């Protein structure tokens, strides 16, 4: 009883202090300001941005004795959403997010409102387990989960599938199969349409133990958007396999296929990959618009000295230019941008790619097919007999490909390729480790581009804020002489709106570091110097690093500090 009384006297600020999120001085000044201003201590903490909002909410939940839930990127099954109609969810600022047995888990702004709890219990005929969530989080979840055409269309298609799964008068097998395919095909159409409207690059259809989840990669980040009943998974996979000309009965081995999909006037090429998991086959569908036009280098995010250095290297008649970065960092798009600029009627351009993502007018593009022996290395060897001026190799994957690329560069050809390294300077030691001779590498290499891709702040809901002094100090330290700002640094963030799907980001932009192979860098290659020594020399010669380019884009309001640290932190 004494413990309860003590708990009653505690405030959110006391819990945050116990958790080490507030200092003793901050605690005293918060309480004093609350008394003087008439605001609650929670409002004072929020106003001064002393503690992140989710931490404040979690402390309030602890105070109220209820669990806290963060609904961000949480998919909710249609079965659960149907238990509480959308008008009820909007009126009472709540959303059901899970169901186990006779219990319904509901996120609420006020989880202690007994009247609302009783009403929802009566409406759903289930026991309610209330959770605390922020108003913003709940409204966003309602908007994402209820209002999307995806949920309604898939629900109606699922009803058809369920009806078909019930015992009916027996018909010939083939006819029954055709009827069953119709609603499943409708589900796939809706999943693809939603991907097009939300600018998704990939769709992941993943079997879990008791359900199937569908995730979309939007602006490089996976978002869980819908949960399907486990019973419909095999039918979905079979339909996708039929469309992709894959073996339906083969469920033990990975398979790759493709098919086209038309949405409005746009035609999409879909690359399909299936992989057997312990709960069934997982399918990933990559969407590639057939009308894709390669963006220009400035549109990608290259500018200033980096753009000038790359343009100088691109105009050299022979040698290798490598684009480096992890998977999904936009390397191929940069290569296409360069090729679009170089492809004219006066040059013979040949490419070997896996897959061919953009179609470049005037270039001879070849799709790799290792199953029949058409690899990067074998294609590159054939290209040398095709009287080429410019050659693009999708990726330097092995020693043979690297040796052939160097040989082509030394015999008067321009060669472009990609390599999986974390930085531009790290690519040169990597090639030496692959067995390349230092004197051949130094003679053939023109330049290396390191890059990452990150999300742009949504221009429709962008707002400014003043960062803490330690953050501002870190920015100035990283930028050094490149920093032209005074003492006051303003940063930007997206609040979230309908245009960006309440994420705060819309579209993507690249950050780059361009390393020209100067005489000093050539000497370092001959000495087999480390990546750190090469980077130090390149920076002394004026190279702007990935992180510096990212920080400059942060100060310009193009992206956020969190995005730069997510993709470019060492």
């Amino acid at each position: 009883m004494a413990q309860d009384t003590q708990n009653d006297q505690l405030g959110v600020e006391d819990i945050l202090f116990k958790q080490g999120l507030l200092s003793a001085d901050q605690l005293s000044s918060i309480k004093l300001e609350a008394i003087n201003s008439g605001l609650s201590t929670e409002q004072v903490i929020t106003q001064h941005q002393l503690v992140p909002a989710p931490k404040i909410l979690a402390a309030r939940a602890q105070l109220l004795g209820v669990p806290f839930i963060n609904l961000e990127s949480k998919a909710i099954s249609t079965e659960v959403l149907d238990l509480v109609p959308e008008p009820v969810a909007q009126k009472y600022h709540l959303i059901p997010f899970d169901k186990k047995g006779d219990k319904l888990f509901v996120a609420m702004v006020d989880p202690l409102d007994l009247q609302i709890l009783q009403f929802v219990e009566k409406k759903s005929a289930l026991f309610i387990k209330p959770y605390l969530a922020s108003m913003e989080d709940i409204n966003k979840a309602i908007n994402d989960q209820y209002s999307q055409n995806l949920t309604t269309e898939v629900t109606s298609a699922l009803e058809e599938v369920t009806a078909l799964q019930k015992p009916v008068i027996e018909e010939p097998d083939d006819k029954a199969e055709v009827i069953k395919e119709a609603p499943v095909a409708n589900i796939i159409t809706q999943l693809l349409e939603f991907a097009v409207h939300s600018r998704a690059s990939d769709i992941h259809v993943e079997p879990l133990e008791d359900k199937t989840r569908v995730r979309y990669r939007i602006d490089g980040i996976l978002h869980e958007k819908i949960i399907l009943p486990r019973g419909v998974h095999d039918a979905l996979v079979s339909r996708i396999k039929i469309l992709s000309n894959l073996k339906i009965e083969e469920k033990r081995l990975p398979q790759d296929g493709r098919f086209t999909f038309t949405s409005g006037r746009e035609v999409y090429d879909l690359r399909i990959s299936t992989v057997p998991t312990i709960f069934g086959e997982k399918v990933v569908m990559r969407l590639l618009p057939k009308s894709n036009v390669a963006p220009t280098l400035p549109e990608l995010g290259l500018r200033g000295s980096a753009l000038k250095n790359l343009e100088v290297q691109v105009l050299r008649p022979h040698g290798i230019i490598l684009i480096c970065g992890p998977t999904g960092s936009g390397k191929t798009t940069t290569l296409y941008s360069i090729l679009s600029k170089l492809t004219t009627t006066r040059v013979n351009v040949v490419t070997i790619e896996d897959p061919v993502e953009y179609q470049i007018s005037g270039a001879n593009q070849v799709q790799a097919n290792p199953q029949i022996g058409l690899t990067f290395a074998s294609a590159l060897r054939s290209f040398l007999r095709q009287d080429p001026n410019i050659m693009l190799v999708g990726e330097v994957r092995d020693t043979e490909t690297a040796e052939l690329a160097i040989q082509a560069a030394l015999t008067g050809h321009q060669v472009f390729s990609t390599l999986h390294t974390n930085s531009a300077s790290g690519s040169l030691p990597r090639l030496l480790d692959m067995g390349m001779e230092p004197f051949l590498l130094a003679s053939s290499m023109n330049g290396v581009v390191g890059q990452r891709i990150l999300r742009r702040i949504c221009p429709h809901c962008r707002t400014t804020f003043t960062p803490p002094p330690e953050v501002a100090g870190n920015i100035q330290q990283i930028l050094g002489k490149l920093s032209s700002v005074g003492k006051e640094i303003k940063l930007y963030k997206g609040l979230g709106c309908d245009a960006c799907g309440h994420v705060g980001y819309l579209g993507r932009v690249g950050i780059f570091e361009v390393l020209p192979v100067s005489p000093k860098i050539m000497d370092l290659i001959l000495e087999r110097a480390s990546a750190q020594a090469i980077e130090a020399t390149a920076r002394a010669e004026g190279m702007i690093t990935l992180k510096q380019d990212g920080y400059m884009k942060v100060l310009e309001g193009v992206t956020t500090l969190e995005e730069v640290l997510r993709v470019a932190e060492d």
Side-chain angles (χ1 to χ4, degrees):
M1 192 70 180
Q3 179 66 40
D4 288 347
T5 313
Q6 191 182 352
N7 248 358
D8 289 342
Q9 292 169 350
L10 284 176
V12 168
E13 70 282 6
D14 297 304
I15 290 171
L16 292 170
F17 170 66
K18 282 185 175 180
Q19 292 172 347
L21 296 168
L22 289 174
S23 66
D25 290 343
Q26 284 175 323
L27 183 66
S28 304
S29 60
I30 286 163
K31 290 185 174 180
L32 186 63
E33 189 174 333
I35 294 164
N36 293 334
S37 64
L39 298 170
S40 70
T41 51
E42 201 174 314
Q43 287 171 322
V44 173
I45 296 165
T46 306
Q47 208 173 65
H48 291 290
Q49 297 182 338
L50 296 171
V51 177
K55 297 283 187 186
I56 299 172
L57 273 175
R60 194 202 303 166
Q62 189 179 326
L63 200 66
L64 298 174
V66 295
F68 167 69
I69 178 82
N70 188 343
L71 295 167
E72 189 181 354
S73 296
K74 185 170 183 61
I76 304 168
S77 73
T78 48
E79 181 194 4
V80 170
L81 288 171
D82 288 345
L83 293 168
V84 178
E86 186 181 355
V88 173
Q90 285 181 333
K91 184 177 179 182
Y92 296 113
H93 308 297
L94 55 86
I95 188 166
F97 62 89
D98 203 359
K99 175 183 173 287
K100 285 177 185 169
D102 59 354
K103 282 185 182 174
L104 183 64
F105 297 85
V106 180
M108 305 174 67
V109 172
D110 184 1
L112 299 185
D113 192 322
L114 292 175
Q115 199 173 348
I116 293 175
L117 285 170
Q118 285 168 358
F119 175 74
V120 178
E121 270 190 359
K122 191 176 177 184
K123 194 86 180 165
S124 63
L126 294 164
F127 294 110
I128 303 300
K129 174 74 176 166
Y131 278 66
L132 176 71
S134 70
M135 175 81 82
E136 186 186 0
D137 226 4
I138 289 171
N139 288 341
K140 182 179 180 302
I142 291 171
N143 180 65
D144 283 354
Q145 304 292 341
Y146 284 106
S147 305
Q148 280 169 2
N149 184 42
L150 181 67
T151 305
T152 10
E153 292 292 341
V154 170
T155 306
S156 60
L158 282 173
E159 284 168 5
E160 290 181 57
V161 175
T162 312
L164 287 168
Q165 285 172 345
K166 291 174 184 172
V168 290
I169 300 165
E170 288 195 17
E171 296 182 38
D173 287 348
D174 55 346
K175 189 178 176 186
E177 199 57 43
V178 169
I179 294 170
K180 195 181 287 186
E181 274 181 11
V184 172
N186 188 25
I187 293 175
I188 291 166
T189 303
Q190 295 309 324
L191 294 179
L192 292 172
E193 287 285 1
F194 181 77
V196 170
H197 295 316
S198 60
R199 301 173 296 103
S201 60
D202 301 84
I203 307 169
H204 292 240
V205 181
E206 302 170 311
L208 304 178
E209 191 172 6
D210 55 347
K211 60 192 175 187
T212 290
R213 71 175 176 186
V214 181
R215 294 194 290 171
Y216 291 85
R217 191 174 290 283
I218 302 167
D219 290 336
I221 304 292
L222 276 172
H223 296 269
E224 198 173 50
K225 287 292 182 184
I226 193 163
I227 299 292
L228 297 172
R230 185 68 183 82
V232 83
H233 183 81
D234 289 344
L236 271 182
V237 174
S238 295
R239 181 64 188 162
I240 292 168
K241 282 183 170 182
I242 289 168
L243 291 168
S244 316
N245 291 321
L246 300 178
K247 295 176 184 174
I248 300 175
E249 67 283 358
E250 182 54 82
K251 299 183 178 185
R252 299 165 304 164
L253 293 171
Q255 295 187 69
D256 293 316
R258 58 193 290 178
F259 67 90
T260 55
F261 170 72
T262 306
S263 175
R265 293 183 179 181
E266 189 74 76
V267 179
Y268 291 84
D269 201 1
L270 276 96
R271 304 299 160 95
I272 311 301
S273 171
T274 71
V275 172
T277 71
I278 55 170
F279 297 122
E281 287 182 282
K282 174 182 172 175
V283 179
V284 175
M285 297 184 272
R286 167 155 287 188
L287 286 87
L288 300 167
K290 280 201 168 182
S291 63
N292 255 4
V293 177
T296 64
L297 293 173
E299 283 171 352
L300 291 176
L302 270 157
R303 73 270 174 86
S305 61
L307 177 60
K308 186 181 174 184
N309 283 336
L310 181 56
E311 285 177 335
V312 167
Q313 301 309 322
V314 161
L315 293 174
R316 293 176 70 175
H318 52 82
I320 301 175
I321 289 180
L322 279 181
I323 315 289
C324 302
T327 304
S329 58
K331 300 186 295 294
T332 310
T333 306
T334 304
L335 280 180
Y336 280 129
S337 298
I338 295 169
L339 271 198
S340 298
K341 191 175 178 178
L342 295 176
T343 305
T344 68
T345 53
R346 297 184 177 195
V347 291
N348 178 20
V349 179
V350 285
T351 79
I352 174 70
E353 306 164 62
D354 187 18
V356 175
E357 290 185 25
Y358 297 81
Q359 291 177 2
I360 301 170
S361 178
N364 304 286
Q365 295 172 272
V366 178
Q367 166 79 48
N369 189 348
Q371 291 175 343
I372 58 167
L374 181 55
T375 62
F376 286 149
S378 66
L380 195 49
R381 196 177 283 108
S382 302
F383 285 172
L384 291 169
R385 298 191 290 273
Q386 284 278 319
D387 183 31
N389 299 100
I390 298 167
M391 291 188 276
L392 182 148
V393 186
E395 187 186 336
V396 176
R397 290 180 179 171
D398 50 44
T399 306
E400 188 184 5
T401 308
E403 284 174 346
L404 286 165
I406 288 175
Q407 183 189 331
L410 291 172
T411 51
H413 303 95
Q414 235 181 340
V415 182
F416 296 93
S417 191
T418 68
L419 188 66
H420 285 277
T421 56
N422 289 330
S423 64
S425 53
S427 63
L428 301 170
R430 170 72 60 83
L431 289 168
L432 292 171
D433 290 342
M434 287 170 75
M436 302 304 103
E437 290 294 343
F439 65 95
L440 293 177
L441 188 63
S443 309
S444 61
M445 193 65 64
N446 285 347
V448 187
V449 179
Q451 72 176 76
R452 297 288 188 280
I453 196 163
L454 36 72
R455 294 180 290 174
R456 285 179 179 271
I457 297 172
C458 173
H460 306 284
C461 58
R462 190 175 74 164
T463 183
T464 61
F465 68 97
T466 306
E470 58 271 22
V471 172
N474 176 253
I475 291 172
Q476 286 181 325
Q477 182 190 342
I478 294 290
L479 288 178
K481 293 176 184 176
L482 297 170
S483 175
S484 58
V485 293
K487 287 183 181 178
E488 184 72 16
I489 285 182
K490 290 280 183 189
L491 298 186
Y492 303 80
K493 65 180 177 182
L495 294 174
C497 62
D498 290 339
C500 61
H502 299 273
V503 177
Y505 296 98
L506 187 65
R508 292 194 283 176
V509 68
I511 54 172
F512 299 86
E513 57 184 18
V514 177
L515 191 160
V517 178
S518 64
K520 283 186 180 178
I521 301 291
M522 288 173 77
D523 289 342
L524 290 174
I525 295 171
L526 293 170
E527 293 166 14
R528 292 184 175 269
S530 66
Q532 289 79 7
I534 291 170
E535 182 172 315
T537 303
R539 289 182 69 172
E541 291 182 341
M543 182 183 84
I544 294 168
T545 66
L546 282 170
K547 208 168 185 181
Q548 287 175 329
D549 189 30
Y551 276 28
M552 287 195 286
K553 286 184 169 81
V554 165
L555 293 178
E556 290 164 12
V558 175
T559 188
T560 62
L561 200 59
E562 291 79 11
E563 274 297 286
V564 176
L565 295 175
R566 178 176 70 84
V567 302
E569 187 70 299
D570 296 331

